[in-house]
mmCIF file of all heavy atoms in Angstrom:
data_model
loop_
_atom_site.group_PDB
_atom_site.id
_atom_site.type_symbol
_atom_site.label_atom_id
_atom_site.label_comp_id
_atom_site.label_asym_id
_atom_site.label_seq_id
_atom_site.Cartn_x
_atom_site.Cartn_y
_atom_site.Cartn_z
ATOM 1 N N SER J 131 -1.864 17.023 -31.132
ATOM 2 C CA SER J 131 -3.239 16.717 -30.662
ATOM 3 C C SER J 131 -3.211 15.765 -29.544
ATOM 4 O O SER J 131 -2.347 14.887 -29.538
ATOM 5 C CB SER J 131 -3.967 16.046 -31.964
ATOM 6 O OG SER J 131 -5.138 15.427 -31.450
ATOM 7 N N GLU J 143 -7.051 15.608 -21.657
ATOM 8 C CA GLU J 143 -6.624 16.707 -20.830
ATOM 9 C C GLU J 143 -6.976 16.501 -19.355
ATOM 10 O O GLU J 143 -6.208 16.678 -18.406
ATOM 11 C CB GLU J 143 -7.129 18.048 -21.313
ATOM 12 C CG GLU J 143 -6.216 19.239 -20.899
ATOM 13 C CD GLU J 143 -6.796 20.481 -21.594
ATOM 14 O OE1 GLU J 143 -6.852 20.507 -22.841
ATOM 15 O OE2 GLU J 143 -7.208 21.383 -20.893
ATOM 16 N N LEU J 146 -4.761 13.950 -17.902
ATOM 17 C CA LEU J 146 -3.409 14.564 -17.652
ATOM 18 C C LEU J 146 -3.371 15.358 -16.474
ATOM 19 O O LEU J 146 -2.499 15.332 -15.666
ATOM 20 C CB LEU J 146 -2.855 15.149 -18.892
ATOM 21 C CG LEU J 146 -2.519 14.269 -19.996
ATOM 22 C CD1 LEU J 146 -2.101 15.092 -21.294
ATOM 23 C CD2 LEU J 146 -1.424 13.270 -19.689
ATOM 24 N N THR J 225 -4.220 31.773 -4.636
ATOM 25 C CA THR J 225 -3.639 31.749 -5.911
ATOM 26 C C THR J 225 -2.197 31.969 -5.874
ATOM 27 O O THR J 225 -1.739 33.003 -5.421
ATOM 28 C CB THR J 225 -4.381 32.688 -6.862
ATOM 29 O OG1 THR J 225 -5.748 32.520 -6.778
ATOM 30 C CG2 THR J 225 -3.903 32.521 -8.343
ATOM 31 N N ASN J 312 4.500 2.782 -3.644
ATOM 32 C CA ASN J 312 3.281 2.488 -2.894
ATOM 33 C C ASN J 312 2.551 3.848 -2.672
ATOM 34 O O ASN J 312 1.295 3.850 -2.828
ATOM 35 C CB ASN J 312 3.538 1.946 -1.560
ATOM 36 C CG ASN J 312 3.927 0.391 -1.728
ATOM 37 O OD1 ASN J 312 3.554 -0.231 -2.740
ATOM 38 N ND2 ASN J 312 4.491 -0.194 -0.584
ATOM 39 N N SER J 329 -7.253 8.477 -10.659
ATOM 40 C CA SER J 329 -8.284 7.595 -10.630
ATOM 41 C C SER J 329 -9.763 8.331 -10.625
ATOM 42 O O SER J 329 -10.682 7.688 -11.351
ATOM 43 C CB SER J 329 -8.255 6.750 -9.311
ATOM 44 O OG SER J 329 -7.086 6.097 -9.190
ATOM 45 N N GLU J 336 -14.997 8.282 -17.633
ATOM 46 C CA GLU J 336 -15.880 7.046 -17.988
ATOM 47 C C GLU J 336 -17.277 7.367 -17.848
ATOM 48 O O GLU J 336 -18.040 7.026 -18.782
ATOM 49 C CB GLU J 336 -15.397 5.936 -16.947
ATOM 50 C CG GLU J 336 -15.818 4.644 -17.375
ATOM 51 C CD GLU J 336 -17.074 4.075 -16.553
ATOM 52 O OE1 GLU J 336 -16.914 3.975 -15.367
ATOM 53 O OE2 GLU J 336 -18.145 3.979 -17.054
ATOM 54 N N PHE J 340 -18.560 7.083 -21.485
ATOM 55 C CA PHE J 340 -18.907 5.616 -21.642
ATOM 56 C C PHE J 340 -17.746 4.921 -22.391
ATOM 57 O O PHE J 340 -17.877 3.777 -22.747
ATOM 58 C CB PHE J 340 -20.232 5.348 -22.283
ATOM 59 C CG PHE J 340 -21.383 5.824 -21.489
ATOM 60 C CD1 PHE J 340 -22.099 6.939 -21.855
ATOM 61 C CD2 PHE J 340 -21.726 5.216 -20.223
ATOM 62 C CE1 PHE J 340 -23.213 7.309 -21.093
ATOM 63 C CE2 PHE J 340 -22.754 5.676 -19.583
ATOM 64 C CZ PHE J 340 -23.553 6.756 -19.891
ATOM 65 N N VAL J 351 -1.955 3.130 -17.756
ATOM 66 C CA VAL J 351 -0.681 3.255 -18.470
ATOM 67 C C VAL J 351 0.172 4.377 -17.623
ATOM 68 O O VAL J 351 1.288 4.301 -17.418
ATOM 69 C CB VAL J 351 -0.842 3.670 -19.911
ATOM 70 C CG1 VAL J 351 0.494 4.195 -20.451
ATOM 71 C CG2 VAL J 351 -1.291 2.398 -20.709
ATOM 72 N N GLU J 365 17.342 1.626 -10.524
ATOM 73 C CA GLU J 365 18.359 0.832 -11.370
ATOM 74 C C GLU J 365 19.501 1.566 -11.712
ATOM 75 O O GLU J 365 20.643 1.161 -11.659
ATOM 76 C CB GLU J 365 17.610 0.377 -12.638
ATOM 77 C CG GLU J 365 16.556 -0.677 -12.499
ATOM 78 C CD GLU J 365 17.231 -2.094 -12.300
ATOM 79 O OE1 GLU J 365 18.117 -2.416 -13.020
ATOM 80 O OE2 GLU J 365 16.724 -2.778 -11.345
#
Side-chain angles (χ1 to χ4, degrees):
Chain J
S131 168
E143 202 175 300
L146 290 177
T225 308
N312 283 344
S329 302
E336 196 253 294
F340 295 109
V351 168
E365 289 282 317

